[in-house]
Amino acid sequence: MRLLSRIVPLVLLAGCTPQASAAPTTPPPPAGPMTVRVDARDAAQMVLHAKVRVPARPGPLTLVYPKWIPGHHGPVGRVADISGLRFLAGGQPLAWRRDSVETSEFAMTVPAGAAAVDVELDVVADPRWFPSDGLSSISWEQVVLYPKGARVRDLRVEPSAQMPSGWRYASSLQVAADTAGAVNFRPTTLEMLVDSPVILGRYGRSFDLGTAMGTTHSLEVVAESKDALQASDARIATYRRLVAEAGALFGARHYDRYTFLLMLSGSAGADFNGTEHHASSQNVTAANFFTSDDGGRYTRWLLPHEFAHSWCGKYRRPKGLATPDYQQPMRNDLLWVYEGLTHYLGWLLSARSGVVSTQDALDDLAAMAADLDAIPGRKWRPLADTTFTAAFGAGSNRPWYSAQRGFDYYPESLLVWLEADTVIRQKTDGKRSLDDFLRSFFGGANTGAEVKPYELGDVLKALSDVVSYDWKTFFEQRVSAITPRVPLGGVEAGGYKLGYHDKPSDFQAMWERTTHQLDERSTLGVALDDKGVVLDVHLDGPAGKAGLPLKASLVAVNGRKYSPEVLRRVLADTSAKGPVELLAERDGFFRTYRVAWGGGARYPHLDRDPAKPDVLGAILAPRVPPPSVTSGTPAR
């Protein structure tokens, strides 16, 4: 799952089986494990080298490069990142041919007497993790090929890696031996290998997050500089509370131990990325995440979100996403549960643990609701249809986001699940809540990594077991139907109203400082960067109706040189008569746009409704006392 900003949410901020697979197109491989040996010593040059041995029998063989990667919900396997590829048998090169349609497939003939095919490949390090000369990662799906038709849970793998000299590394994989950075990991399956990335950095630090649900948890951080690792005990204590709050919420875990993997990059800026795994999550954000209030404040919910995925997405997974290998297309129609419910859980756990303040959680909710309420794309595209955005491929984050919608199944589903929580509380006079559904559906007994697939009917039944209600119609009206207005039932039943004030909230002001953007979607219907370049424009908003195009640069406002302060002073001047005149330049041409706006400054807030109890406050309140604070320990 990666979210570049509130304007273009991903995704980001990465699977399993229990769905019937297609019949293998090649004979099953002979007994014996694959070996995957990665040389990461050129990671500073953004290149990884790998040698893969695949047991094979003489005759036709097709090896495939992973395409549909768990956690990304789309065909994001980047076969184009291969920058060197050779196949050998008995030390002799094999002729190969790429399939002209399925370009991730490579066909060859294994000669008589050969028992394995050796693959040598070079790949560009995964660009989603901001690789640099001091930071990189090993995403195992980048450095493997495997027999077409094989189930990844059935393929045994012996992995190893040569790390850059002096660099730190971390992974949820169990280490069998580490000799001067030559690391042998314990054998596992291809499924669990791909589910267990390795992060690498010149500097690293490990923080013990304590024991909960009968197992250990740790936060492993790598960075390009020592300074980025200076996390306060108070800050780390919130992540210990996160572990405890998750235990109280779900009542059980489905991993043998859990490792938060965090990469701090100077090139991340306001961008960030996260991918979920059974026993870890891989996360990257700005280098000042720990050392600046602003640097960490905007992205603090990222780790709680990915942690919640261990239950919602990895353990319990829609059947359409529980594919037997990495070539089968995924069915994303339940991403409003997989990702949407997790987005709610990340928001919830962040506040309950103190990772974010309650006020920031409320202000973030107001911003999400206002943004979603204003976008013109909701007039034609229902929330359910946005779940297919990830399957569109890498080009799905495009301009005109507000007209097209996109990854709205993250924030809007949060509002839907919040409303479901308030419905349960109302129907049971506060005796039950969505917490009861979460514990019954995602809890159970403590286990290691496993997948328990579900369909929509299973979700509806589990909710009905908590409280009898027409949940099918509830979700149809909010998810499947076109809804010109954002669903605010949970906000209002929670004791608040979406309102607009003449000054941004402290959270919005922080967001604008962090992302170098100006959010005027509630006034003119535009979002700008700090230089005045138009990043998003609502076609049915005042600026859109005046013809202001994307990528235009504001030069002047009402005859004065443009600056964010000048624009906001003009908007706040309710005594002004006539339209707001915007002089803009695009591609060397200048034009004045006369924008009709007389509504003054207008920024979203949640206003407390004194006629109703503060249900939102009760929802976000901690469930367990904070654990003791201890210091971090040095990384490996």
Side-chain angles (χ1 to χ4, degrees), residues 461-596:
K461 181 182 183 304
L463 285 166
S464 295
D465 288 343
V466 175
V467 64
S468 180
Y469 189 67
D470 187 358
W471 292 109
K472 182 174 182 292
T473 299
F474 174 88
F475 288 114
E476 284 177 347
Q477 292 175 344
R478 291 156 181 80
V479 176
S480 302
I482 293 175
T483 54
R485 298 299 305 275
V486 70
L488 291 174
V491 171
E492 294 169 355
Y496 291 78
K497 295 179 180 179
L498 178 62
Y500 294 87
H501 299 187
D502 60 1
K503 288 183 172 53
S505 68
D506 185 54
F507 183 84
Q508 180 174 335
M510 175 277 303
W511 177 85
E512 291 183 339
R513 290 193 303 270
T514 301
T515 62
H516 306 289
Q517 295 182 22
L518 196 69
D519 187 355
E520 290 296 339
R521 283 169 289 184
S522 296
T523 55
L524 304 183
V526 296
L528 312 162
D529 71 10
D530 56 359
K531 300 295 190 295
V533 178
V534 178
L535 302 176
D536 189 30
V537 58
H538 294 178
L539 291 174
D540 60 353
K545 289 179 179 178
L548 184 70
L550 279 172
K551 299 183 180 180
S553 297
L554 299 190
V555 177
V557 183
N558 283 3
R560 295 193 60 186
K561 182 179 179 179
Y562 169 80
S563 72
E565 295 75 22
V566 166
L567 177 62
R568 286 199 157 156
R569 281 200 298 270
V570 169
L571 294 178
D573 185 3
T574 56
S575 66
K577 304 295 183 181
V580 176
E581 291 191 350
L582 302 178
L583 175 63
E585 179 270 335
R586 186 185 183 197
D587 298 331
F589 293 89
F590 292 80
R591 180 180 170 187
T592 297
Y593 301 89
R594 297 170 60 84
V595 182

Side-chain angles (χ1 to χ4, degrees), residues 39-49 123-125 130-137 162-165 167 200-202 224:
D39 184 347
R41 287 176 292 183
D42 289 334
Q45 295 176 281
M46 298 177 59
V47 176
L48 298 175
H49 312 284
V123 297
V124 178
F130 302 98
S132 69
D133 64 358
L135 203 67
S136 192
S137 66
Q162 178 66 58
M163 307 301 177
S165 178
W167 281 34
L200 310 166
R202 290 193 183 277
E224 297 150 331

Side-chain angles (χ1 to χ4, degrees), residues 205 207 219 221 227-236 290-291 632:
R205 192 175 180 186
F207 298 92
L219 171 60
V221 189
D227 292 342
L229 303 175
Q230 303 310 307
S232 69
D233 286 344
R235 184 74 174 276
I236 297 303
F290 287 126
T291 58

Side-chain angles (χ1 to χ4, degrees), residues 44 125 191 230 238 306-307 310 315 426 481 521 537 577 594 632:
E191 176 184 66
Q230 303 310 307
T238 64
E306 303 301 349
F307 187 35
S310 184
Y315 170 57
Q426 289 175 335
R521 283 169 289 184
V537 58
K577 304 295 183 181
R594 297 170 60 84

Side-chain angles (χ1 to χ4, degrees), residues 332-336 381-389 392 405-406 408-409 412-413 416 475-483:
N332 289 343
D333 51 302
L334 286 181
L335 278 183
W336 61 271
R381 194 177 187 194
L383 176 60
D385 193 64
T386 69
T387 64
F388 301 108
T389 301
F392 295 167
R405 305 192 77 176
D408 288 355
Y409 55 84
E412 189 160 331
S413 296
V416 172
F475 288 114
E476 284 177 347
Q477 292 175 344
R478 291 156 181 80
V479 176
S480 302
I482 293 175
T483 54

